[in-house]
Amino acid sequence: MPETTFLIQTLVSGVGTGFIYGLIGIGFCVIYNASGIVNFAQGVFVMLGGMITHALLTRAGLPLPLAALVAVVAVALIGVVIERAVVRPLWRRNATMFVMILATLAAQIVIERLTLLAAGDQPKTLPGFSDAAPLRIGGIAIGVQLLWIAGVSLLLVGALALFFARTRTGRAMRACAINREAAALMGIPVARMLGFSFALSAGLGAVAGILITPTQYTAFNVGVPFAISGFIAAILGGFGSALGAFAGGIMLGVAQALAIVLFGAGFKNVAALSILLLFLLARPAGLFGKAH
Amino acid sequence: MAPVLSVEGLSARYGSVEALHPADLALGHGELVAVLGPNGAGKSTLLRAIMGLTPGSGRVRFEGTELPRDDPRAVTMRGVVLVPEGRGIFGPMTVRENLDLGAYLLPGRGGEFAARLEQVFALFPRLKDRQSQLAGSLSGGEQQMLAIGRALMAAPRLLLLDEPSLGLAPRLAAEILETLGRLNRAGLAILLVEQRAPLALKLARRAYLLAVGRIVAEVTPDQIASPHDLARYYFAA
Ligand SMILES: Nc1ncnc2c1ncn2[C@@H]1O[C@H](COP(=O)(O)OP(=O)(O)OP(=O)(O)O)[C@@H](O)[C@H]1O
Ligand SMILES: [Mg+2]
């Protein structure tokens, strides 16, 4: 039954991309929860993750694991810089959501253009993390990079869940999300938590970018499409729920993969936006939210 | 001896509206003082200005040193803790998580933390039974207990409360205020904002009356025998 195996194969690769969307979606949630801000510069972190790793690998000659690690830390720092330079001044002034979206979008474009100047417009790729042969189950081949994506994503989601549930800083960040003023009254440094949420979210984005690059390519302009997918994943998950965003990402990845095999590559975005509309209309609180 | 809290010429405005005209008040060691006033009098604004939540001008001194006017966190760190209007509990978090966050500045699972937790549970046994319940699913009275308990976890040396009886049935309101009385008798200085004057005057030795943004009088409970007495002061303003 080549038909069935093909379908399953498609689903598997959809889930893989979905994990990536999920990680990016969680990045949106982490910042939104700490501040009520929708950070449209999220895609930049994904792009920079792949690009910086590539540069460290090819220009500085670092081994891949080290290059990846340095890239994640560097992108987390860039996240903090964006927070300090762009977001915090506006946030202190209680800027509207609209202003915040515009400002982060502007930051996205600036960084994208700077990357173009620094690295050129040629797409780049990374080697797979390990070059073992794909895993074969029945007629289905699961690429090793996909296993890396799944493993690292699940590990990160678990670690994040523990962080928010158990650690002092994680709880303080949740408290800021629920009631900023009450959190400040407990002595929680609310502004520092915002900076921290940008670092965390940027780091997550970078990891997503590094994980996905070996299976496709990266370039200065891949940020926006990834950000849109992550944003949709977050909405499917009820915007704010990290687990919801992750599930939303998987759902989106699968829907896109199915649309491509059933209707052709041109339907990838149609599928994404249709599923978004469907949720906005029928289930605005997201997958796990209360139905309205 | 210097008073615990001394407020001099503290004023606050929202845009062009002066919600609090320069106000003076003082609170001695171990004192429980009430601030009474009708809706919109500026009671919450006064507490918020003391905490530095609402920008204001004037001076606020705590135990002799000046408190910053724009840094609520620093004020909390000094030991001045506010139970805000509307309670400000973290609804999607458990009772225990709320209490832990109350001790954010004094963390650690050490003996002191455990002792404070025991103290809170002794004052509000209902919280002990509901530690793993989500705070948002507590009854109104329990939420107020949690808000006060959470403030106590910060080991305050001055507790500011903004209408702790709001929205509670009379018996529950009396119970909560009685607990505040117990805390005060144990030595905690308390500034209590209330609209239910009779309840507050049972506990307080003095009260400031606030009307349209001004402190219009400072009274002792025996000067307020009936609601008429209060109304007289308010309308004189
Ligand atoms: N954020 C704000 N912006 C503009 N005006 C405000 C704001 N907060 C309060 N005010 C105004 O300041 C005045 C005092 O308000 P405040 O909340 O201090 O009164 P209150 O005595 O606490 O009243 P209540 O008993 O209803 O809580 C009111 O006229 C109110 O409308
Ligand atoms: Mg009030």
Side-chain angles (χ1 to χ4, degrees), chain B residues 14 19 38-45 85 163 195:
Chain B
Y14 300 108
N39 282 119
K43 305 182 296 296
S44 299
T45 305
E85 187 168 38
E163 298 205 47
Q195 256 191 85

Side-chain angles (χ1 to χ4, degrees), chain B residues 50-74:
Chain B
I50 291 174
M51 291 303 295
L53 279 172
T54 293
S57 47
R59 288 174 62 156
V60 179
R61 274 179 301 170
F62 174 64
E63 292 177 340
T65 45
E66 194 149 350
L67 293 177
R69 298 288 73 245
D70 55 358
D71 190 354
R73 181 166 179 262

Side-chain angles (χ1 to χ4, degrees), chain A residues 100-181:
Chain A
M100 208 59 99
I101 288 176
L102 274 184
T104 51
L105 211 54
Q108 148 93 40
I109 294 166
V110 168
I111 294 176
E112 202 178 279
R113 293 293 126 177
L114 289 177
T115 309
L116 173 63
L117 291 175
D121 62 354
Q122 287 309 302
K124 303 170 192 345
T125 191
L126 291 172
F129 291 5
S130 44
D131 42 25
L135 206 67
R136 294 203 170 272
I137 305 170
I140 301 162
I142 302 176
V144 178
Q145 190 62 27
L146 203 111
L147 295 177
W148 274 103
I149 290 176
V152 174
S153 305
L154 292 173
L155 208 70
L156 279 179
V157 170
L160 270 179
L162 274 179
F163 169 73
F164 282 113
R166 297 256 182 278
T167 68
R168 176 168 179 258
T169 305
R171 285 177 174 176
M173 284 175 76
R174 274 163 67 210
C176 292
I178 298 163
N179 187 333
R180 198 192 299 174
E181 191 170 285

Side-chain angles (χ1 to χ4, degrees), chain B residues 131-218:
Chain B
Q131 283 186 69
S132 52
Q133 192 173 324
L134 289 186
S137 68
L138 295 175
S139 74
E142 289 160 357
Q143 290 192 11
Q144 189 62 59
M145 293 173 194
L146 178 58
I148 296 171
R150 190 180 59 178
L152 292 175
M153 290 304 291
R157 284 182 301 177
L158 169 62
L159 192 60
L160 312 179
L161 294 119
D162 197 344
E163 298 205 47
S165 77
L166 193 71
L168 302 186
R171 246 197 50 212
L172 204 51
E175 194 184 312
I176 289 208
L177 262 65
E178 177 43 40
T179 307
L180 295 178
R182 274 167 66 192
L183 284 167
N184 174 244
R185 285 193 293 280
L188 182 61
I190 295 179
L191 187 62
L192 171 66
V193 158
E194 260 303 332
Q195 256 191 85
R196 294 185 178 174
L199 272 184
L201 289 171
K202 245 189 256 170
L203 295 175
R205 230 169 306 156
R206 293 188 293 127
Y208 292 96
L209 304 188
L210 205 57
V212 272
R214 283 177 209 282
I215 293 184
V216 292
E218 184 193 334

